[in-house]
Every structure is written in structure tokens, then in C-alpha cells.
Amino acid sequence: MTEHLKNGTFVGTGKGFKNRIVVSATIENDEIQSVKLVSSADSPEVGEKNYPNAGQRSKRH
């Protein structure tokens, strides 16, 4: 049985380098359309270096 992803935009939090980060992921038709870094309490140098691909589109494998 194949699992299907629910369409919508989902927000989650996690631990960044030293502080909390917030990301959102948009799902449409079983594909991840976008992942965005919403906020980060880490310094910009850390965020840009460690999350450079946060906005790139990727497909589910």
C-alpha cells in the first residue's frame, strides 16, 4: 500500500546550530513543493552557511 502525503503547508520547529529554527514545507500532489526557513535565532552567517538549500524544490523518492 502506497502512502500519500496530505496537501497543505506544514510548520515545524527544531534545533538550529545553537538556537531554535522554524521551517515550513508545502506539499502538493505527493510532492514537496517548497521548504522555507521561516525564522532562525542563529546568526545570519550560521543560517546562510547551514541552510542554503532550504528554499529549493525537491521531489519525494
Side-chain angles (χ1 to χ4, degrees):
M1 185 164 152
T2 303
E3 285 188 50
H4 293 282
L5 298 174
K6 183 177 177 182
N7 287 339
T9 299
F10 305 90
V11 178
T13 61
K15 186 173 183 337
F17 181 67
K18 289 187 176 182
N19 298 294
R20 186 176 85 123
I21 62 170
V22 179
V23 297
S24 70
T26 300
I27 309 294
E28 186 177 305
N29 299 323
D30 279 338
E31 291 186 3
I32 300 170
Q33 297 298 315
S34 68
V35 176
K36 296 178 182 174
L37 181 62
V38 175
S39 68
S40 171
D42 285 332
S43 67
E45 297 82 20
V46 171
E48 291 171 10
K49 184 176 182 179
N50 290 298
Y51 318 119
N53 301 319
Q56 290 184 357
R57 184 177 179 188
S58 60
K59 294 190 178 212
R60 183 177 183 208
H61 297 277

